[in-house]
Amino acid sequence: MAAAIGLRIGEFWRLVAKVEKQNEVERLLDAWFQKELKTAWAVFHTNVIAPDDDEQRALQADAAENSLELLRHDYQRGRYAGVPQAILGELDAPIDPAAHAYTVLAIEVSRALGEVSEAMTRWSAGQHDYRPKWQPRLDPVLFPPVNIADPMASLSAISPAAATPSTHAPPPPPTPKDDTPSLSEAMTEHLHRIQRERNVTPKDIGQTETHLRAFIDAMGADRTIGSITRREAGEFFRAVQDLPAGYARKKDFAGLNVFDASRKARRMGCTPMNPRTVNSRIGDVRAMFGALMKIGVLDANPFDGMSMGEAGYAESEKPWTPSQLEAIFTSSITMGCVGERDVFTSGPLLLDDWRFWALLIALTSGARIGEIAQLRPIDVFEEEADGKKVWIYDIGRTGGRRTKNRASIRRTPIHSELIRIGVLRLAERQRAIEAPTLLPNVPKPVQGSHSHGLTKWMGEQLRPRLVADAVTGQGWHSFRHNLQDFSRAASNPDSVSDRIAGRTPEGAGGRYGRFGPAMLQDALEKIEFPAWIKNIPPRS
């Protein structure tokens, strides 16, 4: 009898072990992934292998690489793919998109889509037998195994008195040892990693370190990175939202950590910092956890999905109005000033330095002001593409230059109005004197920031003198918005405008296909700038 009971108890634990290994959500994820992979292979076989089409092979490779790059870009910034309805529709209980469990699922979906794109690039390279060995990884605490059978039913015939004594029960699973690095160690390694992998400025790395130190001071430098819970992350996020702008420099908050400063700010009724600043602070902390998750130190990022609404972003960047643009481009800066020391009073001198050219290039190219400030004379040249010669700006990272992201690296066409005004003569003149920059006398970088001096001039000089009705958010970046509006008015698709201005395209359609210089020039030339651009006198 005892042997029989022992046998049935053993069967019970084997059944429990079997159930624990079968997670229904993981099964759904894997089934969806296999279907996506099968569909991708069918498309590749139909378009490439069957017709043996090398051109289609190149197009498929380009599309897959673009898709993979965008997935990586979004993944590093905490933006994950949506969970397919094929998975959500099969679950017994719905998952709130704002819940951490949904974020974890979205992370796995993003990883799976990355594997599909990687498979497409391998197939395009001739590795037709390549199949990814991806498996979903879900936290069993968030996604407990789904019982496919009731193991207790098999024990219903056993009386409680006959059950195995508790001393014979299997020991509880061991508590995993937290061998993750301390917060201080994690920060130090993260800052080194950023400097190794990115071309960051001293200003950027200093700001990131400030944000991370504020987090560590609030949590405790000796805490391990793995001990930070989702709940603690949420409390920190809420505390940051209460802080006033520049709180660390204010006497009332001297020496206070984030939690104490948050409580004091609420008592004092302080105006909270801009949502964009909040997201920047939390984003730096989230990136540190995300980097450790990528290399397997952590299983989940407690800050996933934590960001304020984008209203703050919409308010922070605004285009110039038509009347404001006219005030800028019919001013003494473009039409003639008294002298280089007084560019805001009308006179006979046609200004020909960085203040004039930066404005014209910003409006007609949509380039960021930091990109314009870093242009060199050799970055203006003629390129032949599709049987057509096109003058372009080469915006990239050669020669120690910096760009915002990979999408910013581009060869973008020069509008014919800039050629009429004399940008090619400017480049030739700057090459002749071996000037390091295209813009004459452009302000030198400050802490690695090439845009610092130009941005300061815009805020302290141009806006107060020429655009008295300017509002917060209007500046150099406004010209990017204006060019997008002009391009839409010319019926250019946003995907083309994004390539010209160096923006990461939205949606799958914008990531596929090639955008050659000739096609981009045709789109740029369709733009009809207002008459005041045509009235600007050329520079010799």
Side-chain angles (χ1 to χ4, degrees), residues 256-315:
L256 298 181
N257 65 34
V258 168
F259 293 118
D260 293 337
S262 170
R263 286 188 285 269
K264 188 167 185 178
R266 287 197 299 269
R267 290 196 304 269
M268 296 172 61
C270 297
T271 301
M273 64 177 68
N274 188 285
R276 185 171 191 176
T277 307
V278 173
N279 288 341
S280 174
R281 285 177 167 272
I282 294 299
D284 282 336
V285 178
R286 182 172 58 241
M288 179 175 69
F289 281 86
L292 290 172
M293 193 178 77
K294 285 172 61 178
I295 60 176
V297 174
L298 297 175
D299 293 329
N301 187 335
F303 284 91
D304 271 340
M306 292 186 187
S307 64
M308 296 189 70
E310 296 191 0
Y313 290 89
E315 294 170 1

Side-chain angles (χ1 to χ4, degrees), residues 64-313:
E65 289 172 3
N66 286 338
S67 176
L68 190 59
E69 179 60 33
L70 188 63
L71 283 166
R72 286 173 180 159
H73 179 270
D74 287 345
Y75 191 94
Q76 291 170 357
R77 285 154 183 77
R79 298 194 294 263
Y80 310 115
V83 181
Q85 191 59 36
I87 297 173
L88 295 176
E90 295 294 323
L91 300 178
D92 292 334
I95 299 179
D96 184 354
H100 182 50
Y102 185 94
T103 302
V104 173
L105 273 179
I107 290 172
E108 292 302 304
V109 170
S110 294
R111 290 179 56 237
L113 291 174
E115 291 291 343
V116 173
S117 295
E118 174 66 21
M120 191 74 83
T121 61
R122 297 287 191 97
W123 299 336
S124 300
Q127 302 177 33
H128 296 165
D129 59 346
Y130 175 78
R131 295 295 181 274
K133 297 179 181 179
W134 178 82
Q135 291 291 330
R137 299 188 312 229
L138 294 178
D139 184 349
V141 176
L142 279 176
F143 299 93
V146 178
N147 292 340
I148 57 173
D150 184 4
M152 296 306 295
S154 63
L155 297 181
S156 59
I158 304 177
S159 66
T164 304
S166 60
T167 54
H168 294 166
T175 302
K177 181 181 178 181
D178 183 2
D179 56 356
T180 58
S182 69
L183 294 180
S184 292
E185 292 170 336
M187 180 189 73
T188 300
E189 177 55 31
H190 183 62
L191 294 175
H192 285 324
R193 185 184 303 111
I194 291 174
Q195 290 174 310
R196 287 196 306 268
E197 298 177 358
R198 307 179 205 166
N199 197 8
V200 294
T201 67
K203 178 182 177 181
D204 290 339
I205 199 71
Q207 184 181 68
T208 300
E209 182 175 359
T210 297
H211 294 168
L212 295 180
R213 286 198 182 280
F215 171 70
I216 292 172
D217 289 344
M219 295 296 182
D222 294 332
R223 288 280 301 274
T224 61
I225 196 85
S227 70
I228 303 300
T229 66
R230 175 76 171 173
R231 180 174 180 177
E232 288 176 310
E235 291 171 349
F236 181 79
F237 176 45
R238 288 190 293 274
V240 172
Q241 294 178 57
D242 293 327
L243 299 175
Y247 80 97
R249 299 188 299 272
K250 299 180 185 294
K251 185 177 179 180
D252 290 333
F253 299 95
L256 298 181
N257 65 34
V258 168
F259 293 118
D260 293 337
S262 170
R263 286 188 285 269
K264 188 167 185 178
R266 287 197 299 269
R267 290 196 304 269
M268 296 172 61
C270 297
T271 301
M273 64 177 68
N274 188 285
R276 185 171 191 176
T277 307
V278 173
N279 288 341
S280 174
R281 285 177 167 272
I282 294 299
D284 282 336
V285 178
R286 182 172 58 241
M288 179 175 69
F289 281 86
L292 290 172
M293 193 178 77
K294 285 172 61 178
I295 60 176
V297 174
L298 297 175
D299 293 329
N301 187 335
F303 284 91
D304 271 340
M306 292 186 187
S307 64
M308 296 189 70
E310 296 191 0
Y313 290 89

Side-chain angles (χ1 to χ4, degrees), residues 416-477:
S416 57
E417 280 299 319
L418 261 290
I419 295 177
R420 176 190 68 81
I421 294 171
V423 73
L424 303 186
R425 293 191 294 273
L426 169 69
E428 183 180 356
R429 187 181 73 209
Q430 292 292 88
R431 277 195 295 268
I433 64 174
E434 299 183 353
T437 58
L438 176 67
L439 303 185
N441 304 320
V442 67
K444 293 182 179 180
V446 176
Q447 290 188 316
S449 173
H450 291 267
S451 63
H452 181 272
L454 294 87
T455 301
K456 184 177 180 180
W457 178 77
M458 169 65 72
E460 296 180 359
Q461 299 291 323
L462 185 142
R463 281 185 18 163
R465 303 289 187 90
L466 301 181
V467 197
D469 60 342
V471 297
T472 301
Q474 288 183 315
W476 287 111
H477 206 86

Side-chain angles (χ1 to χ4, degrees), residues 311-382:
Y313 290 89
E315 294 170 1
S316 66
E317 296 174 357
K318 299 179 184 297
W320 299 109
T321 65
S323 61
Q324 289 171 334
L325 280 176
E326 185 175 3
I328 293 171
F329 288 98
T330 59
S331 70
S332 54
I333 291 179
T334 59
M335 305 305 292
C337 61
V338 169
E340 293 183 359
R341 293 180 178 274
D342 185 2
V343 299
F344 296 105
T345 301
S346 296
L349 175 69
L350 291 179
L351 189 66
D352 196 19
D353 66 9
W354 65 270
R355 289 167 290 189
F356 170 79
W357 287 109
L359 290 171
L360 268 294
I361 295 173
L363 177 66
T364 57
S365 72
R368 299 173 180 87
I369 190 57
E371 297 169 346
I372 297 171
Q374 294 179 85
L375 282 173
R376 305 164 300 176
I378 60 173
D379 296 324
V380 175
F381 57 85
E382 190 176 40

